[in-house]
Amino acid sequence: MVTLKELHAFAVEQGIEQDPRDRKQIERLLEKRKEEYESLDGVREDRFDEDRLENPFDDSKILYGGDEDVSKLAVGIDMEPPELLLVDRLNEQGEGIDGVITHHPEGRSLARLHAVMGLQVDTLHGAGVPVSQAEAVVRPRVRDVKQGVHGINHPRTPKTAELLDLPLVSMHTITDNFAHQFVKEYLDEKDPYTLNELVDALLEVEEYQWALEHDMEPAIFVGDGENRVGNLAFDFTGGTELDKSRLEKMAQSGIDTIVAMHMSKDQIKESENQNINVVAAGHMSSDSLGMNLLLDEVQNEFDVDVMELSGFKRVER
Ligand SMILES: [Fe+2]
Ligand SMILES: [Fe+2]
């Protein structure tokens, strides 16, 4: 048996292992938080989220409950109030779901989405962008995202989970880290020469085959199919998209092709200007891939069943 809290702690450890940052950097970050916490007093100290002292993934949190044993998890990409009501309805019909995992963050894990973006300094650096240049594009964007999510109705989903008594956890950057590492290693090994070959390589992965059934398969957004792949960068993890000013720096640093889960119109246009090729691997399929890699580890360790819904496709490896 396992509780959602134990499962979350296990997932955090897994996420750290897959993280583009090294462990020392993550320990430094947690150490800094501890110092900040110790300097707090009054209401700020009382209401501090102590999970932050152990968990570097601010977008991956227990949002309701978590002390009870779970045996059947409903897993989805967006588990919002409508999905929670669906789970409750299924339980009325005898489904027996006792825990919920959402990939996209809700509640305070969405309110602190900006706090994971620092790791993009390391994904950029890993792709060849100097650290100074990477920090210059990541830092201002963190503040932007913080202000962007500030006004969202954050209590809504956790309160729905509480009223329906459905233990709820979000796992966002933890599993995006898995997807990032997997696709990076997979394409390094496959070593496709052209963009067309890269798309074909992705289509050997089961989640991307499933995407064909929903017309959301891997697609070339920028560049000709016969263009050479060259040096690759990956847009799979780190919270959310950076500012488009990153693309000029990436082009100057020798990046030829970006493989992304998805990309906004703004960035597609700027990639065209910078002559960087873009392959969109697919959003729900890539998010499913990351969730699947974590769930394989979870189900190896604990005896829990998984039900797929809300854009999540379970594939076991
Ligand atoms: Fe994701
Ligand atoms: Fe996503």
Side-chain angles (χ1 to χ4, degrees), residues 227-293:
N227 282 1
R228 281 159 56 176
V229 168
N231 291 329
L232 278 171
F234 299 88
D235 270 13
F236 272 69
T237 191
T240 187
E241 212 168 49
L242 292 174
D243 186 81
K244 67 177 179 184
S245 65
R246 73 178 174 130
L247 293 159
E248 188 180 351
K249 293 190 190 294
M250 289 172 87
Q252 286 168 352
S253 305
I255 290 161
D256 303 298
T257 300
I258 297 174
V259 182
M261 282 200 189
H262 49 90
M263 191 179 270
S264 66
K265 270 193 183 155
D266 245 24
Q267 302 238 354
I268 294 169
K269 226 174 141 202
E270 183 61 16
S271 301
E272 268 166 12
N273 292 340
Q274 299 295 337
N275 298 305
I276 299 179
N277 304 305
V278 175
V279 175
H283 190 184
M284 297 310 123
S285 42
S286 300
D287 277 341
S288 291
L289 171 63
M291 293 290 276
N292 280 321
L293 294 165

Side-chain angles (χ1 to χ4, degrees), residues 20 45 67 94 116 127 134 156 195 213 229 260 266 268 288 296 313:
E45 185 190 2
D67 291 315
V116 300
R156 180 175 168 225
L195 298 186
E213 292 173 27
V229 168
D266 245 24
I268 294 169
S288 291
D296 287 343
K313 172 68 179 173

